[in-house]
């Protein structure tokens, strides 16, 4: 898939920059041509000579020297994809601001090719609201992200911040070139449970694993769509080429969905908590001797599916899920009307659907009801993605 592709790799400053060299190996093994731009920060961790040897190409690291040789505009035009790996906190901030103070900044502004960023930084830096805002801004402009992951890092802290493995970055680059019927379409997917806080240490949630929603996001990306996956807490990694927006509560999920619009289609596979605790306690609720159990007043959560179905920027195709334990079809048909969506994927959850690998669903729309046989969640996802593709044909 990458044979003959021209990929421009921007290596910025991170101790993980050595993985960029491994990524070049993998890309070249697939037949891609890789040119590299080394930032001043990146040059602290890998040498220009190492990058030149491994890419087999001249490495650019100086805006002014590059002007004399190939020129940043030509370099930007040459690239069919630009990959920023590792993308440091500072590089993401510069990209968000559109700063063009060095060669990497100029190329990133001048390119019309898809851009993929693979962040790598200390977990506290990744968690900082400034970084989160920069990532949100860039994702909103269509920049794709892969990672960061969790795992051993140079720092003693743990949490997300680790540069994705070269194989994961390769998968995400393949996804940039994914040709398919949904190329050029943006699809929003929700997945997982929501977590509704009671106090700083307790919450109300449900057993949703997120498997079905993540599989749908992956299947849509494989059909060439640009996918934004708004997900509650799960143990799953973002599928390659999918932009993950992690959220916790239903209200956060709604805000992230609205921020992701416009979209051509939206698929709401999340198991959103219907209620939240009306007043989240700012301190941990105490078990006072003799006081008995507290009574928690509940409030209704927003219905994300219904809200987006009537939104001024409503996606053309809106798909909801209906988890039912009885009268599955009848309830799904009612839900279709009540929520204002186009299709409902109805499933019987009286069995082992939550966390399980298989699903039995019915596709309910104004056109009628289709019964799909029991199949793995990945296959449900692939079929649904194919139906979405057909809809836009
Ligand atoms: O009403 P019910 O929860 O059964 O509807 C299920 C569908 O509505 C799913 O697609 C789910 O993602 C969506 N939903 C939502 N926001 C809620 C409740 C459900 O988006 N607050």
């Amino acid at each position: 898939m990458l044979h003959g592709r021209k990929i421009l790799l921007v290596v910025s400053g991170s101790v993980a920059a050595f993985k960029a060299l491994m990524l070049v190996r993998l890309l070249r093994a697939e037949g891609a041509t890789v040119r590299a731009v080394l930032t001043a920060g990146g040059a602290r961790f890998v040498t220009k000579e190492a990058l030149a040897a491994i890419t087999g190409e001249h490495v650019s690291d100086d805006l002014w020297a590059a002007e004399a040789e190939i020129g940043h505009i030509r370099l930007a035009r040459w690239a069919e994809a630009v990959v920023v790996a590792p993308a440091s906190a500072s590089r993401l901030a510069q990209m968000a601001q559109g700063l063009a103070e060095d060669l990497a900044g100029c190329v990133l502004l001048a390119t019309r090719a898809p851009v993929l960023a693979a962040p790598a930084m200390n977990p506290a830096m990744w968690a900082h609201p400034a970084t989160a805002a920069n990532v949100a801004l860039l994702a909103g402009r269509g920049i794709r992200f892969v990672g960061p992951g969790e795992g051993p890092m140079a720092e003693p802290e743990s949490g997300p911040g680790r540069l994705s493995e070269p194989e994961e970055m390769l998968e995400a680059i393949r996804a940039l070139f994914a040709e398919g019927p949904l190329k050029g379409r943006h699809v929003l997917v929700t997945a997982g449970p929501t977590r509704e806080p009671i106090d700083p240490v307790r919450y109300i949630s449900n057993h949703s694993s997120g498997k079905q929603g993540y599989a749908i996001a992956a299947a849509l990306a494989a059909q060439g769509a640009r996918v934004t996956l708004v997900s509650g807490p799960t143990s799953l990694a973002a599928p390659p080429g999918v932009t993950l927006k992690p959220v916790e509560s239903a209200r956060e999920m709604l805000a992230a969905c609205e921020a992701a619009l416009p979209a051509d289609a939206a698929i709401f596979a999340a198991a959103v908590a219907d209620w939240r605790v009306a007043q989240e306690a700012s301190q941990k609720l105490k078990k006072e001797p003799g006081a008995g159990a507290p009574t928690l007043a509940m409030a209704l959560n927003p219905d994300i599916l219904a809200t987006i179905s009537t939104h001024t920027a409503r996606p053309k195709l809106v798909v909801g899920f209906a988890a039912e334990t009885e009268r599955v079809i009848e309830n799904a048909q009612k839900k279709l009307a009540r929520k204002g969506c186009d299709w409902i994927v109805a499933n019987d959850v009286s069995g082992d659907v939550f966390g399980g690998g298989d699903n039995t669903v019915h596709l309910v729309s104004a056109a009628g009801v289709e019964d799909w046989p029991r199949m793995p969640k990945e296959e449900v996802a692939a079929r649904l993605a194919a139906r979405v593709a057909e809809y836009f044909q």
Side-chain angles (χ1 to χ4, degrees):
M1 184 192 269
L2 295 175
H3 188 81
R5 295 294 192 183
K6 298 173 194 146
I7 295 165
L8 186 67
L9 179 67
V10 175
V11 179
S12 71
S14 155
V15 66
F18 69 93
K19 285 190 194 167
L21 299 176
M22 292 151 77
L23 174 63
V24 173
R25 275 253 160 88
L26 296 178
L27 289 167
R28 291 195 66 198
E30 300 235 333
T33 304
V34 186
R35 280 189 184 161
V37 170
L38 188 59
T39 71
R44 298 269 182 172
F45 297 96
V46 291
T47 64
K48 191 175 171 181
E49 289 73 20
L51 259 179
I54 218 139
T55 57
E57 300 278 336
H58 174 79
V59 174
S60 313
D61 63 349
D62 182 336
L63 177 58
W64 308 108
E67 279 299 332
E69 295 163 26
I70 178 165
H72 61 269
I73 301 295
R74 265 199 279 159
L75 201 51
R77 285 212 186 113
W78 171 85
E80 292 175 299
V82 180
V83 179
V84 188
S88 64
S90 155
R91 180 52 54 182
L92 292 175
Q94 290 175 56
M95 286 166 71
Q97 291 293 312
L99 294 183
E101 289 170 342
D102 61 2
L103 180 61
C106 289
V107 167
L108 283 159
L109 273 188
T111 189
R112 295 285 167 265
V115 177
L116 173 76
M121 65 197 75
N122 164 281
M125 291 168 79
W126 174 252
H128 195 283
T131 306
N134 288 333
V135 169
L137 190 70
L138 291 167
R141 287 189 198 139
I143 305 289
R144 317 278 186 101
F145 285 87
V146 53
E150 284 190 53
M153 309 224 312
E155 285 93 352
E157 288 109 322
S158 61
R162 191 172 193 261
L163 180 65
S164 292
E165 293 308 312
E167 290 77 13
E168 290 172 70
M169 293 191 272
L170 178 69
E171 268 299 308
I173 294 167
R174 285 203 190 113
L176 289 180
F177 290 106
E179 289 293 337
L182 288 175
K183 196 173 170 70
R185 303 275 177 193
H186 177 213
V187 186
L188 166 68
V189 179
T190 70
T194 63
R195 209 176 250 188
E196 311 297 333
I198 297 171
D199 66 20
V201 297
R202 303 181 179 97
Y203 58 81
I204 296 171
S205 191
N206 59 63
H207 288 303
S208 169
S209 64
K211 276 184 194 160
Q212 186 62 80
Y214 276 59
I216 291 168
L220 290 161
Q223 297 270 2
R226 179 165 74 84
V227 182
T228 303
L229 175 61
V230 178
S231 172
T234 73
S235 59
L236 305 172
V242 167
T243 302
L244 177 69
K245 305 270 188 195
V247 295
E248 297 225 331
S249 68
R251 286 180 294 173
E252 281 172 23
M253 187 174 271
L254 175 59
C257 287
E258 288 183 312
L261 296 177
D264 297 286
I267 298 181
F268 294 91
V272 184
D274 291 316
W275 311 285
R276 67 175 181 275
V277 175
Q279 207 83 57
E280 178 188 350
S282 58
Q283 304 296 331
K284 184 183 170 193
L285 297 175
K286 287 272 180 235
K287 186 174 67 175
E288 302 292 359
T295 302
L296 298 174
M298 306 293 276
L300 265 183
N301 261 338
D303 190 313
I304 303 165
L305 169 59
T307 308
I308 302 295
S309 288
T310 53
H311 203 277
T312 43
R314 183 194 197 275
K316 202 158 172 250
L317 178 65
V318 178
V319 183
F321 270 69
E324 304 287 351
T325 53
E326 56 180 351
R327 295 201 294 280
V328 177
I329 308 283
E330 187 188 323
N331 284 333
Q333 278 163 334
K334 280 188 196 151
K335 201 160 287 179
L336 193 65
R338 196 172 66 240
K339 304 257 188 178
C341 56
D342 303 293
W343 302 348
I344 286 271
V345 180
N347 59 342
D348 189 339
V349 290
S350 50
D352 59 349
V353 169
F354 280 105
D358 283 357
N359 214 348
T360 310
V361 307
H362 314 269
L363 185 63
V364 180
S365 70
V369 180
E370 264 180 43
D371 301 317
W372 294 2
R374 185 181 169 89
M375 57 180 93
K377 287 179 177 173
E378 288 76 18
E379 215 170 307
V380 171
R383 272 207 188 198
L384 187 62
R387 296 301 300 265
V388 173
E390 254 171 49
Y391 177 91
F392 283 104
Q393 228 125 67

